[in-house]
Amino acid sequence: MGFSGHHARKRFGQHWLRDDSVLQRIVEAADLQPTDRVLEVGPGRGALTERLLAADVGAVHAIELDRDLVAGLQDRFADHPGFSLHQGDVLEAPLELSDGHIADKVVANIPYNITGPLLERLVGRLDRPVDPPYQRLVLLVQKEVAERIRARPGHSSFSALSVRMQLLARCGSVCPVPPRCFQPPPKVQSEVICLEPLPPSKRVEPALAAQVESLLKQAFLARRKMLRNTLAGVADPDRLQALAASAGFSLQQRPQELAPDIWVALARGLNRGD
C-alpha cells in the first residue's frame, strides 16, 4: 500500500507542498500544545500530517477529498493512535474529530478554487461567525487572497474581504511560498497566513454585522467611486454627511480607504437613527 502510481490531480487543485522550511514554519505558526486537537484539511500524501503528529499534539483529524489517497494515508499513519481520517468534501463533511469533539486549531492547504466557501465554513460570516471559534487557523492560500485578507486601509488590495476578515479575526502573514516549493508547481504565488478568530465579546453584534455587510456590498461594487456616490441611497444627503462626520470619514474618500472600525461606526449610526 502507499501512493505509488498516484499523480496530482488538477481537478482537485493538488499541489504537494514539499519545502521543509515552509512545512516547519506552518507547524511553528500553529503554536501546537500537547492538548491541542488539530483539524487538517487536504493532507495529500501526509508531509505536513507527519510534522503535526511529531509535535505530540492530542489528536490530528484529516479530511481528504481524493479517495485514492486515503489508503496510503491510513497505511502511513497506522501507528499513530492520535490520527483519524475522513474521506469527503470539506465543504460538506462533518468537521468534528472521530470522537465527536471539535478541534482547537486548523491547518489547511486550501485548494484555491474553494477558498471563499472554506473561509466561510471555518471562520464564518460577519452576521454568523463560527461558534465556538477555533483558537487559530494556519492556512496556505493564493498570495493574492492573502494580501486582500491582511491588507490595511488605503492599500490597493484592501477590499470588502479585508473588512470582513479583520472584523472576524486577527490576520497576519507567516511566510511567502513560491511555486518551486510545490510538486507540481502552481502557476501562482502562495502565502501562509495565520488567523486568530476574535472571541464573542469582541465580535460585531449580529444586527450591526448585517448592516455592515449591506454597506460593504453597496460601496465596494464601485470601489473607485467616492463614497458620496456609492452610499447615496443609504440616507438623505444631510444625514449622510452627519453620519460620515460622526464615524470619522469624509464622503470624498473611497471605500478602500476606510478602516473596519469606521464601517462599524457608520453602521451603528444608521441603526441608531442618528
Side-chain angles (χ1 to χ4, degrees):
M1 200 64 66
F3 304 106
S4 60
H6 185 278
H7 301 285
R9 292 173 172 168
K10 186 175 182 180
R11 73 177 186 273
F12 291 154
Q14 291 175 339
H15 299 276
W16 314 129
L17 179 61
R18 61 178 185 175
D19 186 282
D20 288 338
S21 64
V22 174
L23 288 165
Q24 186 59 32
R25 292 289 297 276
I26 291 173
V27 173
E28 291 173 353
D31 189 29
L32 299 173
Q33 307 299 320
T35 56
D36 282 341
R37 303 159 65 79
V38 182
L39 172 65
E40 183 186 7
V41 179
R45 296 177 179 176
L48 180 57
T49 313
E50 183 174 49
R51 289 174 178 261
L52 294 173
L53 289 167
D56 194 29
V57 294
V60 174
H61 180 63
I63 299 179
E64 175 54 57
L65 176 60
D66 189 345
R67 64 180 67 251
D68 292 336
L69 290 172
V70 170
L73 287 164
Q74 290 174 331
D75 182 60
R76 181 172 181 178
F77 302 113
D79 295 332
H80 291 273
F83 176 73
S84 60
L85 177 66
H86 178 87
Q87 189 278 318
D89 184 345
V90 69
L91 297 180
E92 300 175 357
L95 301 183
E96 295 81 9
L97 278 67
S98 58
D99 59 8
H101 295 287
I102 62 173
D104 305 298
K105 296 177 179 177
V106 179
V107 176
N109 180 356
I110 300 181
Y112 298 151
N113 60 337
I114 65 166
T115 300
L118 187 52
L119 282 173
E120 184 171 319
R121 181 141 207 231
L122 296 175
V123 182
R125 304 185 328 202
L126 277 179
D127 58 345
R128 195 169 63 196
V130 169
D131 193 22
Y134 295 105
Q135 292 178 17
R136 181 171 296 195
L137 302 96
V138 181
L139 311 175
L140 177 54
V141 299
Q142 187 174 341
K143 183 179 181 181
E144 179 182 350
V145 175
E147 289 177 339
R148 289 171 59 202
I149 288 173
R150 59 179 175 76
R152 309 313 301 169
H155 191 278
S156 60
S157 296
F158 193 76
S159 65
L161 176 64
S162 312
V163 178
R164 293 186 186 103
M165 293 304 301
Q166 291 170 31
L167 289 175
L168 286 166
R170 289 182 287 271
C171 310
S173 176
V174 175
C175 64
V177 189
R180 67 174 181 276
C181 296
F182 299 88
Q183 182 59 44
K187 296 181 179 179
V188 297
Q189 299 288 326
S190 305
E191 184 175 326
V192 178
I193 59 172
C194 181
L195 306 179
E196 295 182 357
L198 299 176
S201 61
K202 294 187 177 180
R203 294 175 188 158
V204 180
E205 54 267 35
L208 193 57
Q211 181 68 268
V212 172
E213 186 61 50
S214 177
L215 289 169
L216 293 176
K217 287 179 179 179
Q218 181 168 338
F220 279 93
L221 277 175
R223 56 180 289 124
R224 297 183 183 279
K225 291 186 177 180
M226 293 182 183
L227 290 164
R228 67 181 181 188
N229 297 315
T230 57
L231 297 180
V234 168
D236 65 69
D238 289 342
R239 183 176 176 230
L240 185 58
Q241 182 65 53
L243 285 167
S246 177
F249 71 95
S250 166
L251 292 175
Q252 310 302 313
Q253 291 181 274
R254 291 170 173 77
Q256 64 268 32
E257 297 178 283
L258 270 58
D261 61 327
I262 292 182
W263 289 104
V264 174
L266 174 59
R268 183 173 288 113
L270 284 166
N271 279 8
R272 280 200 307 253
D274 290 1

